[in-house]
């Protein structure tokens, strides 16, 4: 796709904001739509500081069909990158309807608007969670999905992927790229942009940050009796800036096929204990931790096979877990300042 105008839903959120920076730096005109449920308006100031451009912002909820239509009526977008959604796995078990309404309902509204206003290109934030338990070391894009999913959040991602396939069948001019993220961590190298949720953090790295800042007394390691070298779970941690770059590559290649699916990961898995050691080494401070019960639904290892994105999108992760930890610490220092 030529460098044109893109709407980014969820663009003030963690992955969305880093992607907006990369898009602007690559010459795209970007507008953001977000309801600010899990992000702050101040992110726009940071984007402006980093890029010199302040993207137009619409405080709109995807469930507000009229508000959404007003945004599409005012603009012609060449494509949409769709990050907006709820993402807390445990909360999705407690509030499944909220997750289906927000994630699936919100996406249907977005697709209807895109149809009504003739917008034919969509990039969707999916997740490695759609693979469920495969019994293989690495997940490959053509493996079956949607089996043995343990929570409604994961099912929303799976259902949306299936909806996108159906929309592609119904409209031969519609193009979708499904990006399955593994575990995004890290922050922008400036230290200005990072993960700053309004909600209580659920993921490992934001919790590690809170322990390092003394806001949480210790890190609970969810089990050390998994079939991994040190007994703790292993994940494919990917630097958020690498992930953001992946979206720019996907936009450049959208439309080669009607529906394209890619893993965005590094192909390397790191254990919880290795993360703790790397964090302590980089910060020079021991991170208090304690092994507790396994967390229900956790798998021993989740790791990407990232070959397809390398071959077809010309994208691969360049940054390491150590880079991500360094950038996270830098972000933490800027937050304190
Ligand atoms: P985030 O919470 O930081 O960003 C999501 C943004 O969407 C937030 O700014 C939130 O306010 C907004 N939003 C939520 N519901 C909305 C609605 N109905 N209308 C308008 N805006 C709404 O999350 P993130 O980590 O940046 O994740 C972005 C996407 O990537 C999500 O779809 C998430 O499920 C997916 N994903 C994230 C991870 C991860 O570990 N962070 C892993 C795999 C997939
Ligand atoms: N962990 C701990 N203690 C904590 C938090 C996490 O030991 O306090 C462990 C978990 O057991 C897991 C690892 O750290 O082994 C990573 O946990 P996260 O919650 O950060 O991430 P998950 O792998 O469980 O899930 C994340 C996203 C999902 C996405 C999935 C894809 O939250 O949205 O990655 O792999 F689907």
């Amino acid at each position: 796709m030529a460098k044109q105008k893109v709407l980014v839903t969820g663009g003030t959120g963690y992955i969305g904001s880093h992607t907006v920076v990369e898009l602007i730096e690559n010459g795209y005109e970007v507008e953001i739509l977000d309801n600010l449920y899990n992000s702050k308006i101040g992110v726009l100031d940071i984007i402006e500081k980093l890029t010199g451009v302040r993207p137009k912002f619409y405080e709109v909820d995807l469930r507000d069909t009229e508000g959404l239509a007003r945004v599409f009526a005012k603009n012609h977008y060449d494509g949409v990158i769709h990050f907006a959604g709820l993402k807390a796995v445990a909360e999705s078990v407690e509030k499944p309807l909220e997750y289906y309404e927000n994630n699936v309902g919100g996406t249907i509204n977005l697709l209807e608007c895109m149809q009504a206003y003739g917008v034919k290109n969509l990039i969707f934030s999916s997740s490695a969670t759609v693979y469920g338990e495969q019994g293989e070391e690495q997940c490959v894009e053509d493996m079956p999905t949607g089996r043995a999913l343990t929570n409604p959040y994961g099912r929303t991602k799976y259902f949306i992927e299936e909806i996108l396939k159906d929309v592609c069948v119904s409209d031969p001019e519609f193009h979708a790229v499904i990006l399955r993220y593994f575990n995004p961590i890290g922050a922008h190298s400036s230290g200005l942009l990072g993960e700053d949720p309004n909600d209580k953090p659920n993921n490992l790295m934001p919790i590690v940050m809170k322990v390092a800042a003394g806001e949480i007394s210790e890190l609970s390691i969810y089990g050390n009796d998994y079939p991994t070298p040190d007994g703790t779970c292993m994940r494919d941690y990917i630097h958020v800036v690498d992930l953001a770059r992946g979206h720019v590559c996907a936009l450049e290649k959208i439309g080669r096929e009607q529906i394209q699916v890619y893993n965005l990961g590094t192909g390397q898995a790191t254990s919880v204990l290795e993360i703790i050691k790397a964090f302590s080494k980089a910060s020079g401070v021991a991170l208090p931790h304690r092994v507790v019960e396994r967390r229900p639904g956790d798998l021993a290892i989740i790791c990407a096979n990232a070959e397809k994105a390398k071959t077809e999108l010309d994208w691969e992760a360049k940054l390491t877990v150590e880079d991500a930890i360094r950038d996270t610490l830098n972000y933490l220092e800027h937050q304190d300042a």
Side-chain angles (χ1 to χ4, degrees), residues 109-131:
N109 289 345
L110 177 66
L111 289 168
E112 279 175 345
C113 237
M114 289 177 69
Q115 252 175 8
Y117 290 92
V119 182
K120 299 290 187 185
N121 297 301
L122 179 81
I123 295 183
F124 172 60
S125 300
S126 190
S127 164
T129 194
V130 300
Y131 289 111

Side-chain angles (χ1 to χ4, degrees), residues 146-162:
R147 297 193 309 198
L149 301 184
T150 52
N151 57 77
Y153 165 73
R155 272 186 281 276
T156 67
K157 294 295 176 192
Y158 170 68
F159 292 154
I160 294 168
E161 287 198 5
E162 296 302 298

